[in-house]
Amino acid sequence: MAPEPTTVTVRMHQVAFGDCFLLSVGYTDGIERHVLIDFGQKSRVKKRDGQPPMGARSLTAVADSIRTRVGDAGLEAIVVSHRHEDHLSGFGVDDAAAIIEDLKPKLVVRSWTENPKAPANASKHAAASHRYIAGLRAANAVATHLAENPFEAGRTVAGRELTALAATEIPNAAAIHALVTMGAAGTREPEYLAAPGPGEPPTKTALSELLPGVRVDVLGPPRPEVWPDIAKQREDDPDYWIAMGNSLAIPWWSGAAVAPGGDPEDGDDDAGTLTTSELEELVDAGPARWLVEHLRKQQVSSVLRIVRWLDRSLNNTSVVLLFTIGGKRLLFPGDAQIESWLYGLTKHPQHERIWADLAKLDLYKVGHHGSRNATPKRLYRHWLKAARDRPLQAVMSTMKDVYGESDGTKVPNGRLVTALADPAFATLSTEDFAAGELFRDVVV
Amino acid sequence: MTIERFDDGEVQPDVIAFDHEGVEPGEPGDDGPEHRAAARKIPNADQRPTKPPDRWRELVVLAQDPTVKIGGRAIRAKVRVPREDLMPGPRGHRFQVVDFDATSPARLENQVIDDAVPQDAWLTVDDAALAESAAFRAQNVYATASRTLDTFEQALGRRVPWSHAGHQLFLVPKAFREANAFYDPDAHAIFFGYFDLPDGGWAYTSLSHDIVAHETTHAVLDGLRSRFQEPGLPDQAAFHEAFADIVALLSVFSMPEVVAAILRGGTLDQLVAADRLTPDALAASPLLGLGEQLGVALGSYGAAQRGSALRTSVSLKPGTGWIDDPDWEEPHLRGEILVAAVAKAFVAMWVGRLAKIRGDGKNVNVDVAVEEGAKAAEHLLRMSIRAIDYSPPLEFLFADFLDAILVSDQELAPDDEHHYRDALRSSFEAFGILQPRGQITTVGTPGKRLRYSALHADELRTSPDEIYRFIWDNVGLLGIPTDQYLEVDSIWSSTHVGPDGFVIREVVATYVQMLEATAGELGRIAKARKGSFDATGFDAATPVKIFGGGALIFDQWGRPKYHQAKPLFDWDRQKARLEYLVRSGTVDRQGRLGFGTPLPGGQRFAALHAPGTNLEEAW
């Protein structure tokens, strides 16, 4: 007779701005089974007082604590929601990766977009998902260029933000290699999951076998063929990124030397200029020349907005998993944004049953570190209206003053944080951890 | 004597000039009829007086979003644009088109509007060729922007400056490869992005009439009320968006052939069924949608719920739940409330005009329906624009806009023959926006005369210092605390023509006040002024900046007739504003409240206009 779940615990680790969760399910056979969900941390964070430890050593310490926790049972599986560094960079730290590898995970689960065998085809007539993959790859090439060539506008606030953001979009080759290695060594074929399309059966995953008595619903990401809103962003078009890449090669972007000093504010005249001869080639002296030079600085902000769209697109590749364990329900959405969420909540073939189940959710891993676009308001209101005998446990792994300056981009978002302080929720944030506290366990 | 004109008008041989130096019969020096005729003979007869030059130039524009088609073709219209000499660009005295692509930079090529080239070619060329023509894009953006500015200047009866020094605003019709278009005050420009379409080809935001009119309105409004960019209550940020939408929506009705084509629905019928002219039918018409191409291309889920247009605010259901709902504090969403209120008022006005002339009760002649719609739209647009003069320079609320429309229109058209003001009151009330009591006040009270003894009437029309002296000398009656910093930041003369044909002249002056302190200090300041400010919820050491201000409207004799005031020491309003700024995280880079936003001016409109899907789901 198959063992049945008896306990559910989620351990949230302090990884500064990142995610690292250990889901532990106790069974009637006395064996606790563990799934590691994400293991990453954002790099290039401006140092401030009171921040938790960051860097390779801190990630290795986290890996070590995971090893201590799981003991001889090892890991049943690793789930990497998506490829942003704050979700997988730990696997790129040699010592940390070695520790995790030693835990012999049986299965590695990632998004369908990470499948090395996924066809990529930039042709206008290719299938939507093939173009989508090609677009993401082309976009990553541009991000790499931007990150590795801090052009003259890097002296401006927007330019620095652009460079930093572009760096987070670059695939972490070491981490991906480690995941591929662990996946190949597992007892189950690596999985690259997507939500089922309309009329399709639920997405199968070996997670359900490895965790007996657990149902795993894959709510996202949707494939572009079934949810055009995911792929309709212009910036997922490979042609767009190829053209962008071509434009980066010309002096407009890369030519001029960085002017020393200068007030690092947008539009600052000291933040690098084209040479006179370069400008002469583009425009005659006169009023238009002033505008053209201004347009060039404006282009930094334009590209920044566009790279933010790439960031959003990669977030939308997040695997969204709803675990039903005994009578408990836990939701791990990675960094999925609203476009992806709405597929799971309104178009997924089992969306009605899922919506009903979500009303009875026991634990919610707050999406995208508490940003404004990753916890749909309709879902929040759904939780508020649900009759519950105890608060919904919300766990948020985040750090303030890393992302965003305006109301629209600040993470975590103030309104959401206020909303999660409602008595209907029992919210735990890594911001509440004491200095030196490496993890906290939440018993579901 | 030859009357000489300094223009390029035509010679008119039949026009004879008066010679005021001639000799009359019987007067000394009269040598008879032949001599008189010779004396009156006009020298240089081939240089006879000429007729005045044309006031307008006719140019073809796209009348709606390029995806709105009739008979399979994008809708074009020939419109009148104020005539001026144009240099290559084209560059006129208020706008300069700069056809430069920052994503794929190449040598700038100026476009030319050549009067010798017939405009009719643009009416017949196919849509793809039209869209790909750099010359047409330049013309479209120049013509639409010019008409929009002209609409404001006609309504206000004066020239409207830009917010920046200098006289020209740059228009960049193909600025970047980005699904965005925005006004950048720092660049003195409007940038129009472009993006590729799923089925091939390109979409240019500079070809969308709505978007060009909308962005130009931002620029014009910024010139009229630059302080609307100060951090304020959510209505203020929302107003910029809403007002730009209102102008774009109502401007379509100035192109009667376009309205007729849409009402006919692609047929040649001369009659429109009455059931297509009901409020619901008109609200659902493409006439009252905005930015369809951009909306569809963005795959906006929110737009898909409301229709393919980027915004179809008119379909919002009236209600008051939005007022205290933090979900509705987002500027776009909140602005839709105001647009909906105005759009519904417009529909009521149009339907009201039609009700008076309905023929057989079943159908209405298309031309009549169009004409009545055009009149209603023109009147409402002018009312809305004139209201800006009566609006406060900052700390703006939607109710202030209603107040300003009603009071300013009452001045110009006391009789309200078509009950426009009733339609506006009713429509706004349905959304819980009521005309405030005592917000716009008459100046001076019986028994308390204003002091003018040190003032000069001519200076009161032009000099900010004279206005300040007026305030200084009448501080008690005006209730303005002159112990605080005050700046008269604008003074303008306006000329309006009322329905009776008589001219009404006004002078509008705005002033602002500001105070920088800490949140903790505000409590002490309030107490010293016998008021109360509860600093609970604020870090006492946080630097804050509060504002007050107002508009003074003077009549044609230089007497102040109205004062639209937002007192600096209205502690309830100040607390509400600061609480909102905290709630929305609107602090400047130094973490101060009320001093500014984290985004530089050039990026604020860009951020507002970056595609934001599913706004109703975001926090």
Side-chain angles (χ1 to χ4, degrees):
Chain A
M1 189 166 135
E4 289 179 6
T6 55
T7 61
V8 183
T9 310
V10 171
R11 172 170 289 191
M12 178 162 68
H13 295 89
Q14 174 60 275
V15 285
F17 196 95
D19 268 12
C20 181
F21 294 90
L22 186 69
L23 168 63
S24 301
V25 184
Y27 281 87
T28 48
D29 61 4
I31 298 173
E32 211 177 14
R33 291 162 172 82
H34 310 276
V35 175
L36 175 61
I37 303 175
D38 288 334
F39 177 30
Q41 177 185 85
K42 181 170 170 29
S43 63
R44 303 191 194 203
V45 172
K46 195 170 179 181
K47 293 275 180 279
R48 290 182 215 272
D49 290 338
Q51 284 173 337
M54 287 180 268
R57 214 181 292 176
S58 72
L59 290 167
T60 305
V62 168
D64 206 45
S65 86
I66 293 171
R67 173 171 54 191
T68 306
R69 174 70 178 88
V70 306
D72 293 337
L75 286 172
E76 298 304 305
I78 293 171
V79 174
V80 178
S81 61
H82 65 298
R83 74 155 66 161
H84 274 146
E85 65 166 354
D86 53 336
H87 291 258
L88 57 49
S89 65
F91 300 108
V93 174
D94 288 344
D95 290 343
I99 292 170
I100 301 298
E101 199 170 342
D102 238 13
L103 301 177
K104 297 190 177 9
K106 300 183 178 79
L107 169 69
V108 173
V109 174
R110 293 159 68 196
S111 170
W112 73 275
T113 55
E114 301 305 311
N115 188 343
K117 296 179 192 160
N121 187 343
S123 160
K124 284 246 189 270
H125 304 291
S129 49
H130 300 179
R131 276 182 63 76
Y132 187 71
I133 297 290
L136 288 180
R137 289 184 189 171
N140 274 316
V142 171
T144 303
H145 180 105
L146 288 169
E148 295 175 355
N149 295 278
F151 53 96
E152 65 284 351
R155 295 295 273 184
T156 65
V157 171
R160 285 202 297 276
E161 188 178 347
L162 173 58
T163 308
L165 186 61
T168 66
E169 309 309 316
I170 300 171
N172 185 320
I176 290 171
H177 177 77
L179 287 166
V180 168
T181 303
M182 283 187 268
T187 59
R188 303 287 195 283
E189 284 293 316
E191 291 181 347
Y192 301 95
L193 300 182
E200 291 178 4
T203 302
K204 280 197 175 140
T205 168
L207 282 169
S208 298
E209 300 166 30
L210 296 168
L211 298 172
V214 173
R215 184 176 67 215
V216 181
D217 287 300
V218 181
L219 273 57
R223 290 181 186 273
E225 282 90 343
V226 302
W227 194 233
D229 271 14
I230 286 290
K232 246 187 183 176
Q233 317 306 334
R234 297 283 65 75
E235 291 71 20
D236 295 333
D237 182 345
D239 294 334
Y240 172 84
W241 289 104
I242 291 166
M244 174 69 70
N246 289 340
S247 72
L248 293 179
I250 61 178
W252 177 255
W253 280 101
S254 61
V258 177
D263 183 5
E265 288 294 324
D266 276 327
D268 177 51
D269 287 337
D270 291 339
T273 56
L274 288 173
T275 63
T276 305
S277 61
E278 284 161 346
L279 264 180
E280 273 180 25
E281 283 179 26
L282 292 173
V283 57
D284 291 335
R289 180 176 287 185
W290 177 88
L291 176 73
V292 166
E293 180 61 2
H294 202 104
L295 248 178
R296 197 167 148 283
K297 292 174 190 157
Q298 178 69 256
Q299 178 71 339
V300 174
S301 301
S302 176
V303 175
L304 177 57
R305 286 191 292 278
I306 289 160
V307 175
R308 284 198 185 122
W309 274 98
L310 170 61
D311 187 64
R312 191 183 177 100
S313 294
L314 285 178
N315 285 332
N316 276 329
T317 66
S318 288
V319 177
V320 180
L321 299 178
L322 174 63
F323 294 89
T324 304
I325 307 173
K328 306 284 169 67
R329 293 171 181 83
L330 296 82
L331 183 61
F332 288 85
D335 285 357
Q337 305 284 291
I338 289 169
E339 306 79 66
S340 178
W341 271 107
L342 289 177
Y343 177 80
L345 299 179
T346 65
K347 298 290 182 196
H348 188 286
Q350 288 88 44
H351 74 270
E352 286 172 349
R353 190 262 304 161
I354 288 168
W355 185 245
D357 283 352
L358 286 173
K360 297 169 267 184
L361 195 70
D362 294 284
L363 182 134
Y364 170 53
K365 198 287 295 186
V366 179
H368 196 212
H369 318 285
S371 79
R372 72 184 294 249
N373 282 318
T375 300
K377 274 191 177 154
R378 66 174 67 191
L379 188 54
Y380 176 83
R381 286 191 288 264
H382 189 49
W383 290 327
L384 276 189
K385 282 187 209 156
R388 311 180 59 85
D389 52 11
R390 59 177 180 274
L392 191 164
Q393 291 170 298
V395 289
M396 181 162 63
S397 181
T398 191
M399 189 164 81
K400 64 183 180 191
D401 301 328
V402 173
Y403 267 123
E405 292 172 324
S406 68
D407 172 43
T409 55
K410 202 171 276 198
V411 180
N413 176 271
R415 286 195 190 91
L416 176 60
V417 169
T418 302
L420 291 175
D422 187 282
F425 300 86
T427 300
L428 173 67
S429 167
T430 49
E431 294 250 284
D432 302 327
F433 283 19
E437 194 174 356
L438 193 55
F439 59 80
R440 276 226 207 145
D441 287 331
V442 174
V443 177
V444 183
Chain B
M1 179 179 120
T2 304
I3 295 176
E4 196 175 7
R5 296 189 77 93
F6 290 100
D7 61 33
D8 58 354
E10 301 166 12
V11 172
Q12 298 227 312
D14 297 330
V15 175
I16 299 172
F18 286 107
D19 183 350
H20 296 280
E21 293 172 356
V23 178
E24 292 302 319
E27 285 189 357
D30 180 11
D31 294 326
E34 285 181 8
H35 182 262
R36 283 201 298 275
R40 286 203 184 92
K41 201 169 179 184
I42 298 166
N44 302 318
D46 60 342
Q47 292 176 11
R48 286 175 183 267
T50 58
K51 82 171 180 62
D54 291 336
R55 162 93 167 88
W56 306 100
R57 170 186 268 127
E58 281 201 330
L59 296 173
V60 171
V61 297
L62 276 177
Q64 279 252 295
D65 196 273
T67 57
V68 179
K69 294 179 192 277
I70 299 286
R73 296 183 80 236
I75 307 175
R76 303 134 206 245
K78 221 185 237 185
V79 296
R80 295 190 322 175
V81 175
R83 179 176 283 277
E84 57 174 336
D85 290 340
L86 285 176
M87 295 179 172
R91 181 168 185 244
H93 77 294
R94 298 305 307 273
F95 295 100
Q96 178 173 352
V97 179
V98 178
D99 190 15
F100 187 83
D101 181 352
T103 299
S104 302
R107 174 134 187 98
L108 172 66
E109 275 190 36
N110 286 314
Q111 305 301 328
V112 171
I113 293 178
D114 186 351
D115 287 332
V117 175
Q119 285 287 310
D120 287 352
W122 296 122
L123 294 172
T124 54
V125 73
D126 69 60
D127 289 354
L130 196 73
E132 286 310 312
S133 164
F136 182 75
R137 288 195 298 268
Q139 173 171 302
N140 190 73
V141 81
Y142 164 77
T144 307
S146 293
R147 293 181 80 236
T148 305
L149 177 64
D150 187 61
T151 299
F152 274 84
E153 291 186 338
Q154 285 200 36
L156 292 171
R158 63 172 190 267
R159 294 294 172 211
V160 176
W162 303 121
S163 67
H164 57 264
H167 306 283
Q168 281 134 341
L169 183 74
F170 292 113
L171 304 172
V172 189
K174 192 184 169 195
F176 339 97
R177 187 169 172 173
E178 184 185 345
N180 201 351
F182 57 92
Y183 159 63
D184 182 347
D186 292 348
H188 311 175
I190 301 177
F191 298 123
F192 296 94
Y194 64 99
F195 52 95
D196 59 319
L197 294 164
D199 300 330
W202 296 95
Y204 299 95
T205 58
S206 54
L207 291 180
S208 167
H209 177 273
D210 300 334
I211 291 174
V212 179
H214 177 107
E215 298 307 327
T216 307
T217 302
H218 277 312
V220 174
L221 186 58
D222 197 34
L224 289 169
R225 287 288 187 271
S226 60
R227 296 276 185 180
F228 278 3
Q229 293 206 55
E230 300 286 359
L233 284 160
D235 281 7
Q236 187 159 293
F239 180 73
H240 242 282
E241 285 304 299
F243 193 67
D245 275 356
I246 289 165
V247 171
L249 268 174
L250 296 176
S251 297
V252 172
F253 290 85
S254 66
M255 294 178 279
E257 64 270 52
V258 174
V259 180
I262 292 176
L263 282 180
R264 285 196 181 102
T267 69
L268 294 173
D269 295 343
Q270 198 51 31
L271 294 176
V272 180
D275 61 7
R276 294 185 61 206
L277 296 172
T278 62
D280 287 342
L282 290 172
S285 142
L287 289 167
L288 292 168
L290 281 167
E292 288 85 351
Q293 187 174 46
L294 192 57
V296 170
L298 292 174
S300 165
Y301 188 73
Q305 288 178 320
R306 289 193 289 275
S308 61
L310 188 59
R311 288 187 289 284
T312 45
S313 312
V314 68
S315 57
L316 271 182
K317 288 194 172 23
T320 58
W322 64 278
I323 295 173
D324 296 317
D325 186 348
D327 288 359
W328 284 91
E329 286 179 347
E330 197 281 327
H332 282 109
L333 282 178
R334 199 171 186 87
E336 292 200 40
I337 299 292
L338 189 64
V339 178
V342 171
K344 287 181 192 302
F346 163 66
V347 169
M349 289 158 64
W350 190 3
V351 169
R353 292 186 74 100
L354 287 173
K356 292 181 182 174
I357 46 101
R358 259 188 222 287
D360 58 4
K362 291 182 186 168
N363 301 318
V364 177
N365 181 280
V366 162
D367 294 335
V368 170
V370 168
E371 188 179 342
E372 295 304 313
K375 283 181 187 166
E378 183 192 354
H379 293 166
L380 182 55
L381 187 52
R382 287 186 178 228
M383 288 165 74
S384 301
I385 293 172
R386 283 198 306 271
I388 300 298
D389 273 353
Y390 278 58
S391 295
L394 35 61
E395 302 287 281
F396 186 87
L397 298 173
F398 289 167
D400 297 331
F401 183 57
L402 174 65
D403 200 15
I405 291 183
L406 297 176
V407 174
S408 62
D409 192 61
Q410 170 85 27
E411 282 294 295
L412 196 63
D415 295 332
D416 196 16
E417 175 189 344
H418 294 282
H419 305 290
Y420 288 163
R421 293 197 286 276
D422 289 339
L424 279 161
R425 269 195 205 90
S426 175
S427 180
F428 275 61
E429 191 178 333
F431 286 96
I433 304 169
L434 305 175
Q435 183 177 14
R437 289 180 185 277
Q439 179 71 44
I440 298 178
T441 55
T442 50
V443 182
T445 55
K448 289 192 179 176
R449 292 174 58 190
L450 292 159
R451 287 171 58 196
Y452 293 95
S453 54
L455 300 170
H456 306 279
D458 283 345
E459 288 293 296
L460 265 181
R461 291 193 177 94
T462 56
S463 166
D465 291 318
E466 198 76 353
I467 297 290
Y468 186 71
R469 179 67 194 261
F470 170 79
I471 294 173
W472 187 267
D473 286 349
N474 294 285
V475 62
L477 286 176
L478 294 171
I480 299 172
T482 46
D483 62 331
Q484 300 298 319
Y485 177 77
L486 184 149
E487 183 184 311
V488 176
D489 66 352
S490 75
I491 177 167
W492 301 107
S493 295
S494 289
T495 306
H496 308 296
V497 179
D500 58 1
F502 282 87
V503 169
I504 299 171
R505 297 190 202 284
E506 291 176 333
V507 169
V508 179
T510 60
Y511 66 91
V512 293
Q513 293 195 277
M514 51 198 89
L515 174 65
E516 297 177 14
T518 61
E521 274 183 296
L522 287 185
R524 294 190 287 281
I525 294 169
K527 192 174 175 186
R529 292 181 178 266
K530 311 237 180 327
S532 168
F533 178 84
D534 178 8
T536 308
F538 302 108
D539 180 344
T542 299
V544 301
K545 187 171 182 180
I546 60 174
F547 290 92
L552 284 162
I553 294 98
F554 295 82
D555 65 18
Q556 56 203 336
W557 295 284
R559 300 178 311 192
K561 50 181 180 175
Y562 292 116
H563 182 201
Q564 156 75 270
K566 291 282 179 165
L568 179 65
F569 295 132
D570 177 345
W571 297 111
D572 290 339
R573 191 188 80 241
Q574 298 298 2
K575 181 157 166 82
R577 170 177 173 264
L578 292 173
E579 283 176 338
Y580 168 69
L581 295 180
V582 169
R583 203 162 60 240
S584 62
T586 310
V587 293
D588 70 358
R589 290 181 198 272
Q590 289 106 309
R592 304 178 301 177
L593 268 179
F595 285 76
T597 70
L599 288 174
Q603 295 307 310
R604 263 175 241 146
F605 288 100
L608 267 180
H609 289 172
T613 60
N614 309 303
L615 294 172
E616 65 277 14
E617 298 286 352
W619 293 89

